[in-house]
């Protein structure tokens, strides 16, 4: 009896604290597996979704994930339609002028995917210096493609860029390497290969409005906690099958 009462009291208590927990809205662009993609019920899943939910749990806030175009994320934070964004976003000086970045949470980089039939033609990134390239709009991959050849077609999503490569609308997709490798590993289509060369190294961070120092502080503190309690390492293992 006493025990039942205690359980009841505890659940009222936790319902109460949940009701009071702050909800933060995070934007993402969920066609970027394994960082963010959707399951058959349109739920956003992936490495980033797990990381932000774990941070929310560690810092006792509710997380709402909103799917939108990648190039809408920063403008939506600036106009306060979003509290933050987690979308495999590369930390850059340019972006740091507009929004605040958390501490880095993932070491990434950029590579190029070509059609398997062109394997001998394009052995190095510089072999693409006169080629038309495809990339996702507003990304560091698109910036890298501009540097490689200057002739770049940009698409709303990475899968669209891959389709364009297959249709011979361009000679390579320039994009984040872990996403390229996941695509090659999971796609039941062996018509693509990677040029085994890293265009550049990058780090991902979560972004917030510069004025929201409270949220930024919670995110950094949550990141630290999940690194310390092993959750971060578990999430890494789950999506990449290797230790960090
Ligand atoms: N890391 C790259 C950038 O920050 C690409 C990120 C694209 N993310 C996405 N969810 N589509 O520009």
């Amino acid at each position: 009896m006493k025990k039942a009462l205690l359980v009841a009291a505890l659940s009222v208590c936790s319902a109460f604290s949940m009701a009071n927990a702050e909800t933060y809205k995070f934007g993402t662009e969920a066609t970027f597996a394994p960082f963010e993609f959707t399951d058959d019920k349109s739920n956003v899943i992936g490495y980033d979704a797990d990381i932000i939910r774990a941070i929310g749990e560690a810092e006792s806030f509710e997380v709402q994930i909103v799917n939108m175009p990648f190039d809408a994320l920063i403008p939506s934070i600036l106009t306060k339609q979003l509290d933050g964004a987690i979308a495999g976003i590369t930390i850059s000086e340019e972006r740091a002028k507009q929004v605040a970045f958390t501490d880095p949470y993932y070491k990434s980089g950029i590579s190029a995917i070509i059609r398997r039939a062109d394997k001998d033609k394009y052995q190095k990134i510089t072999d693409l210096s006169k080629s038309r390239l495809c990339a996702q709009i507003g990304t560091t991959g698109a910036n890298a493609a501009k540097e490689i050849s200057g002739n770049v077609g940009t698409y709303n999503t990475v899968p669209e860029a891959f389709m364009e490569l297959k249709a011979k609308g361009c000679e390579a997709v320039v994009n984040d390497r872990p996403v390229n490798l996941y695509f090659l590993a999971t796609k039941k289509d062996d018509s693509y290969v990677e040029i085994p060369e890293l265009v550049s190294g990058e780090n991902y961070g979560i972004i917030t409005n510069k004025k929201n120092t409270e949220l930024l502080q919670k995110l950094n503190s949550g990141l630290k906690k999940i690194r310390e309690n092993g959750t971060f390492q578990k999430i890494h293992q789950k999506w990449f099958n290797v230790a960090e």
Side-chain angles (χ1 to χ4, degrees):
M1 181 63 189
K2 260 192 188 151
K3 200 172 168 197
L5 268 178
L6 185 63
V7 169
L10 279 176
S11 57
V12 166
C13 198
S14 77
F16 180 74
S17 65
M18 284 310 252
N20 273 334
E22 186 109 36
T23 299
Y24 290 114
K25 215 191 241 187
F26 290 90
T28 199
E29 190 283 302
T31 63
F32 203 65
F35 294 97
E36 41 267 338
F37 53 119
T38 46
D39 65 12
D40 48 15
K41 291 185 198 81
S42 299
N43 296 312
V44 178
I45 56 168
Y47 180 90
D48 283 347
D50 283 354
I51 293 282
I52 196 67
R53 287 180 183 127
I55 292 175
E57 205 158 296
E59 291 292 317
S60 306
F61 62 77
E62 295 281 312
V63 171
Q64 190 189 343
I65 300 181
V66 190
N67 197 0
M68 59 171 67
F70 186 74
D71 59 353
L73 294 173
I74 291 181
S76 303
I77 287 178
L78 297 178
T79 56
K80 304 208 170 126
Q81 278 147 295
L82 290 177
D83 296 301
I86 183 162
I89 303 170
T90 300
I91 300 174
S92 76
E93 260 177 50
E94 187 75 20
R95 290 171 177 162
K97 287 180 194 152
Q98 298 183 279
V99 290
F101 276 98
T102 60
D103 297 331
Y105 70 92
Y106 186 87
K107 250 197 192 65
S108 189
I110 286 181
S111 73
I113 300 288
I114 54 172
R115 290 182 296 271
R116 183 178 294 275
D118 291 339
K119 218 171 153 218
D120 297 332
K121 195 165 159 194
Y122 305 121
Q123 294 179 4
K124 302 184 292 341
I125 296 293
T126 49
D127 295 338
L128 292 166
S129 66
K130 294 196 169 57
S131 309
R132 180 155 179 87
L133 306 173
C134 283
Q136 183 177 25
I137 194 160
T139 61
T140 49
N143 291 343
K146 276 176 211 143
E147 303 232 324
I148 296 167
S149 79
N151 179 2
V152 189
T154 49
Y155 298 84
N156 282 329
T157 67
V158 172
E160 286 168 77
F162 279 123
M163 270 157 52
E164 189 64 10
L165 171 62
K166 192 166 183 179
K168 303 200 174 163
C170 59
E171 300 300 288
V173 170
V174 183
N175 181 45
D176 296 31
R177 184 158 201 246
V179 174
N180 287 342
L181 296 183
Y182 191 87
F183 172 79
L184 293 183
T186 54
K187 191 98 188 148
K188 286 176 190 52
D189 177 348
D190 68 351
S191 55
Y192 306 93
V193 285
E194 186 193 45
I195 298 182
E197 192 184 327
L198 203 61
V199 180
S200 66
E202 313 192 321
N203 274 304
Y204 293 165
I206 308 168
I207 56 174
T208 65
N209 192 296
K210 281 196 179 204
K211 294 198 181 94
N212 198 348
T213 48
E214 187 187 328
L215 176 57
L216 186 68
Q217 188 267 323
K218 284 184 193 171
L219 292 171
N220 279 330
S221 151
L223 261 178
K224 197 160 169 272
K225 283 184 197 158
I226 66 170
R227 279 187 191 275
E228 281 163 5
N229 72 16
T231 308
F232 186 91
Q233 291 75 2
K234 273 191 205 131
I235 295 171
H236 195 94
Q237 185 80 37
K238 170 178 168 192
W239 293 104
F240 296 100
N241 221 351
V242 286
E244 189 191 353

